[in-house]
Amino acid sequence: MITEAVITGHKVVLIPSTPDHVEKYYQWMTDPKLLQDTGTDPLTLEEVYDMERGWREDADKLTFIIVANGEGDIASLPLIGDVNLFLKGRPEDKDFEVEVGVMIAEEAYQRRGFAREALGLMLTYTTGSPASFSCPPLSPTVPEPPSPFPIPPESLVVRIAQDNVPSLKTFERLGFIETRGANAFGEKEMRFRKRDLWVT
């Protein structure tokens, strides 16, 4: 799914993926711990190129590369991970859902709030509901998201390895609650639910 949006927060900037990012992503996909945490099989460089092409061309995927905010132009900022949405069905379908994924691949940026901010920005952009994710409104210069966004926050779902406690806690803080215990793959399912009090 193509978007030209660049979304800037305090800690991170979300930028559209391009083929220029593939070699870095391929390096990440050789890390055994990252593969375990993300439930991903090892990928060849050619497969990563195909995957990145799918992020841009497939109508059921939206992916941003996460860079750490700092001084200088965006091209000079370090790539640290990605955040993505996978649409299953159409918004008018009764069982429509949007699976959320995030990865902070660079160890120096893990467990420091970068994933939470990236998710808050991505979900605000795609739902049009900043209050739902305790996120300030996006800059008016950010273009509208591609169709079929915006989507209802209640359609969001995440599936996380049951031993990936940091990720489970990150989504809890964003308002996701466990809706299904560990499946055969050891993943828990969590869905977004509106609530009045936010975990901080």
Side-chain angles (χ1 to χ4, degrees):
M1 193 177 293
I2 295 175
T3 176
E4 298 303 319
V6 173
I7 308 173
T8 303
H10 295 295
K11 291 174 177 280
V12 304
V13 182
L14 306 186
I15 61 174
S17 69
T18 73
D20 292 340
H21 301 134
V22 166
E23 290 199 10
K24 183 64 172 178
Y25 203 93
Y26 174 67
Q27 291 176 18
W28 293 338
M29 290 296 95
T30 62
D31 184 326
K33 186 176 187 308
L34 279 178
L35 294 175
Q36 179 181 349
D37 289 346
T38 58
T40 305
D41 293 326
L43 299 173
T44 66
L45 183 59
E46 182 178 356
E47 287 171 331
V48 177
Y49 271 107
D50 288 342
M51 181 175 67
E52 193 280 330
R53 189 180 304 113
W55 290 343
R56 288 180 285 114
E57 297 178 357
D58 295 350
D60 61 348
K61 300 179 180 70
L62 180 63
T63 295
F64 284 95
I65 299 298
I66 306 170
V67 301
N69 205 351
E71 297 181 359
D73 59 29
I74 290 176
S76 68
L77 300 177
L79 309 181
I80 64 170
D82 71 332
V83 59
N84 44 61
L85 299 180
F86 299 95
L87 286 72
K88 299 181 179 180
R90 299 173 299 178
E92 60 269 26
D93 294 342
K94 198 173 192 180
D95 59 350
F96 173 69
E97 67 177 30
V98 179
E99 187 162 356
V100 186
V102 65
M103 175 180 70
I104 301 298
E106 296 293 329
E107 188 174 359
Y109 297 92
Q110 293 173 357
R111 303 187 188 185
R112 293 175 52 194
F114 287 84
R116 182 176 179 183
E117 183 177 273
L119 287 163
L121 294 171
M122 169 68 125
L123 300 181
T124 292
Y125 174 64
T126 52
T127 66
S129 182
S132 295
F133 306 102
S134 300
C135 185
L138 303 182
S139 167
T141 63
V142 175
E144 293 294 318
S147 178
F149 300 106
I151 55 165
E154 293 75 19
S155 64
L156 298 168
V157 61
V158 63
R159 296 176 178 93
I160 305 172
Q162 61 183 338
D163 57 355
N164 190 348
V165 176
S167 288
L168 293 169
K169 289 187 177 297
T170 294
F171 280 93
E172 284 176 4
R173 293 186 181 105
L174 283 165
F176 286 72
I177 64 170
E178 184 178 329
T179 51
R180 187 172 298 171
N183 59 19
F185 302 101
E187 295 175 326
K188 290 186 175 183
E189 178 185 280
M190 303 175 76
R191 293 181 181 268
F192 179 80
R193 293 292 183 265
K194 287 182 177 178
R195 57 185 182 177
D196 296 325
L197 297 176
W198 295 92
V199 179
T200 59

